[in-house]
Amino acid sequence: RGMKTLALRVERQNQSALEISKFLESHSKVKKVFYPGLTSHEGHLIAKKQMKGFGGMLSFMLKEDTFKAVATVIENLRYAHPAANLGAVETIVGPPATTSHVECSKEERLRMGIPESLIRYSTGIEDAADLIDDLDNALSKLPD
């Protein structure tokens, strides 16, 4: 049944994820954004050649490199739901420390290049402006 709207949903997720990534990249409390649709992403040129859109998945690192900062952001999101799964019609958010890499120690994650402040964000089909406002509000809870 979902195949009828798949193209529309993916198009919306692509557009929203790019808008959100640009917002996060310019935010003072975000250190780095990982999204192939950004020209700053090291794989952007390859992705541009190979993809029609850049997908709904992105991740970002907070400047405050602590799990406490991650928890603060996630606890203050109203539209993004914390979960270990990804790729739903609603926006899902989760840190690798408690989802995909929960069985690894902090030191093991660091050796793999996964900082404590990394947040994975699977963009849903909600309005991009609402999701950006939600992120802005959650990030505002971090100390300057």
Side-chain angles (χ1 to χ4, degrees):
R1 289 177 31 198
M3 291 303 292
K4 293 177 184 176
T5 60
L6 180 62
L8 291 170
R9 288 182 281 132
V10 170
E11 183 180 333
R12 176 70 170 257
Q13 289 170 312
N14 287 339
Q15 291 170 351
S16 294
L18 181 59
E19 287 180 47
I20 291 164
S21 294
K22 288 178 179 178
F23 162 75
L24 289 169
E25 190 173 50
S26 69
H27 200 284
S28 64
K29 295 180 183 175
V30 173
K31 182 176 183 177
K32 185 167 183 165
V33 179
F34 302 93
Y35 185 69
L38 294 173
T39 56
S40 60
H41 188 276
E42 60 271 2
H44 177 72
L45 293 178
I46 292 170
K48 192 173 175 181
K49 288 179 187 177
Q50 295 178 344
M51 302 167 83
K52 290 182 183 177
F54 300 103
M57 286 295 309
L58 62 106
S59 60
F60 59 99
M61 288 171 50
L62 302 173
K63 283 189 179 170
E64 182 183 327
D65 192 23
T66 65
F67 189 76
K68 180 181 177 190
V70 169
T72 297
V73 170
I74 291 174
E75 289 167 4
N76 283 286
L77 290 169
R78 293 186 343 242
Y79 298 124
H81 306 284
N85 66 312
L86 301 168
V89 294
E90 61 273 342
T91 299
I92 304 291
V93 64
T98 61
T99 57
S100 60
H101 293 79
V102 69
E103 294 183 13
C104 300
S105 69
K106 176 181 176 179
E107 293 73 26
E108 289 170 322
R109 288 191 299 274
L110 288 173
R111 280 197 300 276
M112 289 186 269
I114 303 169
E116 285 300 289
S117 68
L118 187 69
I119 297 175
R120 296 182 311 163
Y121 194 91
S122 177
T123 309
I125 61 172
E126 303 93 345
D127 184 74
D130 288 341
L131 295 173
I132 288 169
D133 287 345
D134 193 31
L135 282 162
D136 194 33
N137 176 62
L139 290 165
S140 75
K141 306 301 184 202
L142 295 173
D144 289 324

